[in-house]
Amino acid sequence: AAFGVSNKDGPLLEFTPANKAYQIASTSGFRTMLKVERDGNTRMSQPFFEPDEQGTERTMLIGMNELEITETNTITELNTRVLYYTVSGEDFPALVRRVTIVNTGSSDVNLDIVDGLARMEPFGVNAGMLAAMGRTLEGWMRVYNCKSQNEIFGEACLAPFYKLSASTADSAQVQMITEGNFVLSYIEDETE
């Protein structure tokens, strides 16, 4: 289980065989983490994380070009919907993940939300490199279109661009890598 630009040798998420992916999907795939403040109480929640979490009901809908999963949690009084679909008719490949959180309770709620992949691979790596070089490969990995590392934690990095700094081939001539993978995120409406 993985996804990428063309196949498992152009991954955004490292390829993992299905039998292992089922076991690690909740920790290495997309995740949504919520800090829920309601009526003076604060609770942490992670939709779709626990297999049999009490007070939750889950559904999955599969369409021709989309997958939607929904979790209704009676304890946090939130309904979380995640819709995945690919963008067609563009000159670049894209996967859209749209997360919608609805307050099903009778009182107001304040949310702090962290959503996304636990790890994303930069452009220029392939499945063989990730398996054979792992930690060493991280020396070539770079994130561009962000402020310096010290400033990132204070401000959001809204459109990071992930790529290797140069080719990793064992040759006398180094090739620059100009292509990259990117993520774009936004909040559509804070009031609903």
Side-chain angles (χ1 to χ4, degrees):
F3 65 94
V5 175
S6 57
N7 57 36
K8 69 180 181 181
D9 282 332
L12 292 171
L13 179 65
E14 183 176 2
F15 175 77
T16 307
N19 63 324
K20 292 184 178 146
Y22 299 145
Q23 298 169 12
I24 64 170
S26 64
T27 56
S28 65
F30 284 102
R31 299 166 73 179
T32 303
M33 294 177 236
L34 307 173
K35 179 180 175 185
V36 183
E37 295 179 22
R38 183 190 301 274
D39 300 327
N41 297 316
T42 301
R43 151 184 317 272
M44 305 305 273
S45 177
Q46 206 171 150
F48 311 105
F49 186 69
E50 295 293 331
D52 295 316
E53 187 175 354
Q54 286 192 337
T56 61
E57 180 181 320
R58 296 181 180 144
T59 59
M60 178 171 60
L61 302 170
I62 301 172
M64 294 294 287
N65 185 39
E66 61 191 29
L67 167 72
E68 183 176 40
I69 54 177
T70 303
E71 177 179 289
T72 301
N73 187 318
T74 58
I75 296 168
T76 62
E77 298 180 287
L78 296 173
N79 178 283
T80 306
R81 290 190 316 265
V82 181
L83 175 65
Y84 297 93
Y85 59 93
T86 58
V87 177
S88 57
E90 296 293 338
D91 59 353
F92 57 88
L95 174 70
V96 175
R97 172 182 160 91
R98 183 176 183 171
V99 179
T100 305
I101 300 171
V102 177
N103 179 9
T104 59
S106 56
S107 60
D108 289 342
V109 64
N110 289 324
L111 296 174
D112 288 336
I113 304 169
V114 176
D115 184 78
L117 282 172
R119 178 183 170 107
M120 185 172 151
E121 301 304 336
F123 185 88
V125 301
N126 61 44
M129 294 165 76
L130 289 167
M133 295 177 64
R135 195 82 175 142
T136 304
L137 188 61
E138 291 178 9
W140 282 275
M141 295 180 179
R142 299 288 184 271
V143 178
Y144 298 91
N145 201 28
C146 281
K147 298 188 184 261
S148 73
Q149 292 294 331
N150 293 333
E151 294 174 2
I152 289 175
F153 297 105
E155 298 178 28
C157 182
L158 299 179
F161 190 71
Y162 302 86
K163 69 184 191 89
L164 294 183
S165 57
S167 65
T168 60
D170 190 11
S171 68
Q173 188 169 357
V174 177
Q175 288 185 321
M176 293 300 298
I177 295 179
T178 57
E179 297 92 346
N181 296 328
F182 69 94
V183 174
L184 178 65
S185 61
Y186 65 95
I187 297 173
E188 190 171 319
D189 189 351
E190 292 187 41
T191 61
E192 292 186 18

